[in-house]
Amino acid sequence: MNLRLRLLWVVALVSVSLAALRAQSNYATPYAFTTLAGNAGSTGTADGTGSAALFSNPTGVAVDSSGNIYVADTANNKIRKITSGGVVTTLAGSSFGAVDGTGSAAKFANPNGVAVDSSGNVYVADTGARTIRKITSSGVVTTLAGTAFSTGSTDGTGSAARFNTPYGVAVDGSGNVYVADNGAHTIRKITSGGVVTTLAGTAFFSGSTDGTGSAARFTGPRGVAVDSSGNVYVADTSNHTIRKITSGGVVTTLAGTSGSSGSTDGTGSAARFFQPQGLAVDGSGNVYVADRNNHTIRKITSGGVVTTLAGTAGSSGTADGTGSAARFNNPQGLAMDTSGNIYVADTINNTIRLGVLPTAPGAPTAATATAGNTQASVAFTAPASNGGSAITSYTVTASPGGATATGATSPLVVTGLTNGTSYTFTVTATNSIGTSTASSASSAVVPAIVVPGAPTGATATAGNAQASVVFTAPASNGGSAITGYTVTASPGGATAAGATSPLVITGLTNGTSYTFTVTATNSIGTSTASSASSAVIPATVPGAPTGATATAGNAQA
């Protein structure tokens, strides 16, 4: 690397470090990311499910209409397939080379970009071989355009065409394939019959000029995507910009400023990227970007408004999470399915990540209610899914009447109910996105006044044929004022009644051991008895002495 390139690289690193210090604050649509397949930090080529599968520097990713994901497993020289359930197999390829054939008989040379058409054919930018390959759904590999290991930038049909460093590919609804020819600084187009033309840029002339066809300039483009109207979007990687090309070849800059790296959210030229690479476009014209050296996933509206969906600029890692909590390490490939889920080739982590747009939670389950006086306590089970965003609260609603209670955990107590009325209850869960549908209704309960709870803490102090019993009022009066307490002795059943503690029970037999229980009574009835006190034994106290006389002495008596 010469001195000038070293200086440019240092400037770029400083730029992204400053961007990281600014930190993104606009996560307008924070996707929740998990790891679909691969094991972060583990390199290999194992087929398997989820973390049992291994990749080596995956760089390209595409998804078909059935939810199958295709991966350019670059360092393994293979094209891998992942089902929506995370089961990984090898579709084609076995080792470095440029051999057409079926499945493992085929060979690739550091493939990077992949795209898939509506028939399930996969197109591959076979970077090291300088060709564009096609793989049928049954794994049959052919060369669509270019000649293996022959470098150039020649337009033509099939093997007569030449590419320099094809990196990204995209396919439209008519079967046309678009290629980011990185080393030639051009965007190429290949018809389904293999006819190659240059859509925009001039071979081997770098720059960042907007214009039509050959008048436009790119510098090291690596990613392409195409929308339903035939507009092609380009990750102009070394210019740190996202470009747009109409079907007529008119090139404009959608977002970013050439030569200015960073990670600023904003509109058009106010936004900043740092070597963006993978692209996808949705049905509304929003463009999604794997912003490689920022370790983030970005979104650009059709009006050029850029926001950050996941990751934190300048912070590499491999954490699953939502929005800024997620971490990536040089994400290079990106695809989107028809449900709006995002797939990322997280290259240095050797994993394929799945981003799901958070939704409202699922409904809570198993609502049960216990009635009290003008209230009910409702218990429930949290929903199986939080929708990708933490649940912030639950709300219980009574029917009839609509009385509610809101809180963070089960159970919740709904107050203000009418005694004697039958109620059922439903529960909803709320996260940052919205509120779930309601749970199934609980069984009906009828709030009512009940007998008090049992008094507690009964203790007794013995006297002469009696005892004084102290106790604590019950925690619940049952919804009606307590009118009195009754102390009962055992054995014998002697009682004493009164309004407050303590109560003195008389008529006991001295020398006999007694325990005592206490009940409380309200307008409905009498509580269960308290626990028994410890035993005490009433006894006769000594009488007063009598017949006292005194004899005087010196200073005494």
Side-chain angles (χ1 to χ4, degrees):
M1 185 181 289
N2 62 36
L3 179 60
R4 181 174 181 274
L5 288 176
R6 287 180 182 274
L7 289 173
L8 288 173
W9 182 247
V10 169
V11 169
L13 287 176
V14 169
S15 297
V16 77
S17 296
L18 290 173
L21 289 174
R22 288 194 290 271
Q24 293 303 319
S25 59
N26 186 359
Y27 290 84
T29 314
Y31 274 72
F33 274 88
T34 55
T35 301
L36 177 64
N39 194 333
S42 297
T43 300
T45 185
D47 288 341
T49 301
S51 60
L54 296 177
F55 301 88
S56 185
N57 285 76
T59 54
V61 64
V63 59
D64 68 18
S65 58
S66 299
N68 299 300
I69 302 97
Y70 301 88
V71 180
D73 195 5
T74 303
N76 281 324
N77 301 298
K78 295 179 179 181
I79 306 303
R80 315 288 289 279
K81 179 180 178 180
I82 312 173
T83 68
S84 57
V87 179
V88 179
T89 55
T90 299
L91 178 65
S94 57
S95 59
F96 185 88
V99 178
D100 288 342
T102 301
S104 60
K107 297 189 186 313
F108 298 90
N110 300 126
N112 276 279
V114 287
V116 59
D117 67 18
S118 58
S119 299
N121 298 302
V122 178
Y123 300 86
V124 181
D126 198 4
T127 307
R130 274 73 177 177
T131 55
I132 305 303
R133 316 286 289 279
K134 179 180 177 180
I135 313 173
T136 67
S137 58
S138 57
V140 179
V141 180
T142 55
T143 300
L144 178 65
T147 294
F149 305 115
S150 294
T151 302
S153 185
T154 306
D155 289 343
T157 301
S159 60
R162 294 290 183 272
F163 299 89
N164 183 272
T165 320
Y167 221 95
V169 287
V171 60
D172 67 17
S174 300
N176 298 301
V177 177
Y178 300 87
V179 182
D181 197 355
N182 174 265
H185 312 299
T186 54
I187 305 303
R188 316 288 290 278
K189 178 180 178 179
I190 312 172
T191 68
S192 58
V195 179
V196 180
T197 55
T198 300
L199 178 64
T202 295
F204 308 114
F205 283 85
S206 63
S208 185
T209 306
D210 289 341
T212 302
S214 60
R217 294 290 183 271
F218 304 88
T219 302
R222 287 197 169 194
V224 284
V226 59
D227 67 18
S228 58
S229 300
N231 298 300
V232 177
Y233 299 88
V234 179
D236 196 3
T237 303
S238 296
N239 279 326
H240 313 295
T241 54
I242 307 301
R243 316 287 289 279
K244 178 180 179 179
I245 312 172
T246 67
S247 57
V250 179
V251 180
T252 54
T253 300
L254 178 64
T257 294
S258 174
S260 296
S261 63
S263 184
T264 305
D265 286 342
T267 302
S269 60
R272 293 291 183 271
F273 302 88
F274 190 22
Q275 296 199 340
Q277 187 159 320
L279 294 182
V281 59
D282 68 19
S284 299
N286 299 300
V287 179
Y288 300 82
V289 183
D291 197 1
R292 187 182 74 183
N293 281 13
N294 278 323
H295 315 294
T296 54
I297 307 302
R298 316 286 291 279
K299 176 183 177 180
I300 313 171
T301 68
S302 57
V305 178
V306 178
T307 54
T308 300
L309 302 186
T312 295
S315 295
S316 63
T318 184
D320 289 340
T322 300
S324 60
R327 291 290 182 273
F328 306 88
N329 196 346
N330 286 94
Q332 295 189 32
L334 189 146
M336 172 173 276
D337 67 21
T338 54
S339 298
N341 300 312
I342 293 175
Y343 302 86
V344 177
D346 197 3
T347 304
I348 303 301
N349 282 325
N350 300 303
T351 54
I352 305 303
R353 313 287 292 279
L354 168 62
V356 177
L357 189 62
T359 62
T365 59
T368 58
T370 303
N373 176 38
T374 68
Q375 64 182 32
S377 176
V378 181
F380 52 89
T381 301
S385 170
N386 65 6
S389 181
I391 292 173
T392 54
S393 65
Y394 296 93
T395 299
V396 174
T397 302
S399 178
T404 62
T406 299
T409 58
S410 171
L412 294 175
V413 176
V414 182
T415 59
L417 305 180
T418 301
N419 287 335
T421 298
S422 178
Y423 290 92
T424 60
F425 302 87
T426 56
V427 191
T428 57
T430 299
N431 64 9
S432 61
I433 303 302
T435 298
S436 73
T437 57
S439 69
S440 297
S442 69
S443 297
V445 294
V446 181
I449 299 172
V450 296
V451 298
T456 58
T459 60
T461 303
N464 181 24
Q466 64 181 29
S468 176
V469 181
V470 176
F471 53 88
T472 300
S476 170
N477 65 7
S480 178
I482 292 172
T483 54
Y485 297 93
T486 299
V487 174
T488 301
S490 178
T495 61
T500 59
S501 172
L503 292 177
V504 177
I505 187 167
T506 60
L508 305 180
T509 301
N510 288 336
T512 298
S513 177
Y514 290 92
T515 60
F516 303 90
T517 57
V518 189
T519 57
T521 301
N522 66 7
S523 61
I524 299 301
T526 298
S527 74
T528 57
S530 70
S531 298
S533 70
S534 297
V536 295
I537 302 174
T540 303
V541 297
T546 60
T549 61
T551 302
N554 181 28
Q556 65 182 21

